[in-house]
Amino acid sequence: MNIQKTVNLEDYGKKLSGKTRDFYIVKDKRTIISTDRISAFDKNLGYIPHKGQVLNQLSAFWFDKTKDIIENHLISVPDPNVMIVKNAELIPIEMVIRGYITGVTGTSIWGSYEKGERIIYGIKFSEGLSKNQKLPKPIITPTTKAKSGHDQRLTNNEIIKQKIISERIYRQMEKATLQLFERGTRICEKSGIILVDTKYEFGIYNNKLILIDEIHTPDSSRFWIKNTYKEKFLKGIEPENFDKEFLRIWFKKQGYVGDGKPPIMSKEIISQVSNRYISIYEKLTGKKFIANSKIDIAKRIKNNLKLLK
Ligand SMILES: Nc1ncnc2c1ncn2[C@@H]1O[C@H](COP(=O)(O)OP(=O)(O)O)[C@@H](O)[C@H]1O
Ligand SMILES: [Mg+2]
């Protein structure tokens, strides 16, 4: 199995790395290489074969499906694992939007609710909600995009008061977030999928607000299977999920929820997660996932990028 760990592009300048992606900035463009690294609980947990390609190609699919709502950063996809994008000035806020109340850890929305909190992110939650219940309408729960460690919760008022961005831009972000989530929900539904929650990142490019990063991927969203949701919800069992929650639940079963050194993923869980990433890509796009397991992915990336020069 060929795993995409990282790529060094000698003539692209300094390599920068996030938790899952490597990138190079050349003038006003950013070359983003999606790797197979996986993180959860803000920790690096190892590698999931094909994950980078799924994320890259799924984001490209969604950028195309939503470009009438807001301009996005995508310029081209020169390789299954690579996206060339407009390099924006990042707005350090993650616009999280949720249609359901859920979560695994004590700091999740469900975790807070379970402990008795009824005002979360400055939003009032009604009594009597159960885990994984649909909310009356989607809610936006923004967090700061922390340089390291955990993201911090924010209320709308804090964003405006702390002058992280202007109110005018924030309102544009809110509007786009609601519209993107509505579009995503509708397209997922057609494939028998519930878009449970997701997060968007925005940036400023040429003095304009644009959508950046990734969109509606299993790393940035929760996806549940629609036709078994109700039955499972009524029985109080977890919905069938096709996102990172599957892995978080596995870690929780091993007694790990983010503190200290994470246990090593078993071969079985790695292959189950990989299959789920591929499966959600195929369900949503209606396309067959073409895995290039036999070739050296780093070499292919270098070749495809060389052709551009
Ligand atoms: N078009 C863009 N302009 C500027 N920054 C971007 C753009 N698209 C994505 N980013 C940033 O690039 C990084 C992508 O790498 P990733 O591995 O997702 O990092 P992280 O660990 O911060 O999630 C993120 O910090 C993201 O905010
Ligand atoms: Mg990220």
Side-chain angles (χ1 to χ4, degrees):
M1 184 63 69
N2 194 334
I3 292 174
Q4 217 282 291
K5 295 189 173 176
T6 194
V7 181
N8 295 312
L9 302 171
E10 286 78 17
D11 46 355
Y12 269 69
K14 188 174 161 16
K15 178 168 79 177
L16 303 167
S17 294
K19 286 190 288 288
T20 61
R21 286 169 285 174
D22 294 335
F23 43 94
Y24 293 86
I25 300 170
V26 181
K27 291 186 208 143
D28 64 340
K29 292 198 186 83
R30 185 179 275 244
T31 301
I32 304 184
I33 300 152
S34 291
T35 74
D36 291 337
R37 293 195 290 270
I38 190 158
S39 74
F41 313 105
D42 286 325
K43 293 252 164 58
N44 219 321
L45 302 172
Y47 298 94
I48 301 293
H50 308 303
K51 172 181 181 279
Q53 186 184 336
V54 164
L55 259 56
N56 194 54
Q57 295 185 327
L58 194 53
S59 277
F61 166 84
W62 283 113
F63 280 132
D64 184 56
K65 295 280 182 208
T66 56
K67 62 183 184 224
D68 60 308
I69 296 174
I70 180 169
E71 179 182 333
N72 63 62
H73 70 167
L74 179 61
I75 298 171
S76 65
V77 184
D79 177 276
N81 284 69
V82 183
M83 213 175 247
I84 299 193
V85 304
K86 301 160 191 160
N87 186 36
E89 187 193 324
L90 177 93
I91 296 171
I93 296 174
E94 301 205 339
M95 291 297 273
V96 182
I97 180 163
R98 309 163 188 273
Y100 293 73
I101 184 163
T102 189
V104 173
T105 62
T107 54
S108 66
I109 296 274
W110 173 250
S112 297
Y113 189 87
E114 204 181 14
K115 279 184 235 152
E117 288 177 42
R118 290 296 175 266
I119 295 174
I120 313 170
Y121 288 87
I123 298 165
K124 187 147 176 38
F125 286 73
S126 57
E127 286 299 325
L129 293 178
S130 304
K131 184 170 190 225
N132 303 333
Q133 188 164 345
K134 187 172 185 179
L135 294 166
K137 63 178 191 337
I139 54 163
I140 298 176
T141 57
T143 60
T144 55
K145 203 176 148 48
K147 288 236 160 57
S148 63
H150 291 289
D151 297 335
Q152 297 295 315
R153 291 180 181 186
L154 285 168
T155 65
N156 290 356
N157 287 342
E158 284 162 353
I159 291 171
I160 309 296
K161 263 209 297 233
Q162 291 179 16
K163 296 207 165 67
I164 299 174
I165 33 152
S166 72
E167 179 156 8
R168 185 180 66 84
I169 294 286
Y170 186 67
R171 295 298 163 220
Q172 283 178 29
M173 285 163 62
E174 267 183 336
K175 190 170 168 217
T177 297
L178 289 168
Q179 289 180 338
L180 291 166
F181 191 65
E182 195 187 314
R183 177 73 55 85
T185 299
R186 198 165 54 69
I187 294 175
C188 285
E189 228 165 52
K190 282 197 206 145
S191 307
I193 303 289
I194 296 174
L195 178 60
V196 180
D197 50 34
T198 195
K199 67 109 181 144
Y200 305 110
E201 291 185 25
F202 296 89
I204 304 288
Y205 184 79
N206 281 344
N207 298 317
K208 241 175 95 184
L209 183 72
I210 65 165
L211 180 65
I212 63 167
D213 205 50
E214 59 183 330
I215 166 168
H216 303 156
T217 71
D219 273 17
S220 67
S221 324
R222 289 188 175 94
F223 298 112
W224 294 339
I225 299 295
K226 192 165 183 271
N227 65 16
T228 55
Y229 163 73
K230 199 159 178 195
E231 181 201 325
K232 297 204 181 250
F233 173 72
L234 292 173
K235 283 190 189 152
I237 51 180
E238 284 302 311
E240 284 179 80
N241 49 356
F242 272 75
D243 51 63
K244 252 181 9 186
E245 196 83 337
F246 183 72
L247 188 66
R248 288 193 201 100
I249 292 169
W250 182 86
F251 273 96
K252 196 177 175 186
K253 277 203 196 120
Q254 319 295 311
Y256 184 79
V257 285
D259 296 319
K261 201 169 178 279
I264 291 171
M265 290 187 287
S266 67
K267 278 207 178 79
E268 291 76 42
I269 188 72
I270 290 175
S271 109
Q272 283 173 346
V273 173
S274 178
N275 287 338
R276 274 171 193 246
Y277 270 74
I278 290 173
S279 165
I280 194 74
Y281 169 86
E282 293 187 336
K283 281 183 208 297
L284 290 176
T285 63
K287 285 186 223 151
K288 178 112 191 67
F289 180 77
I290 301 169
N292 292 311
S293 321
K294 296 207 171 58
I295 57 158
D296 181 337
I297 299 174
K299 213 162 153 188
R300 185 199 65 204
I301 291 174
K302 283 186 186 177
N303 277 334
N304 281 333
L305 288 174
K306 238 185 246 148
L307 294 175
L308 296 177
K309 292 224 151 183

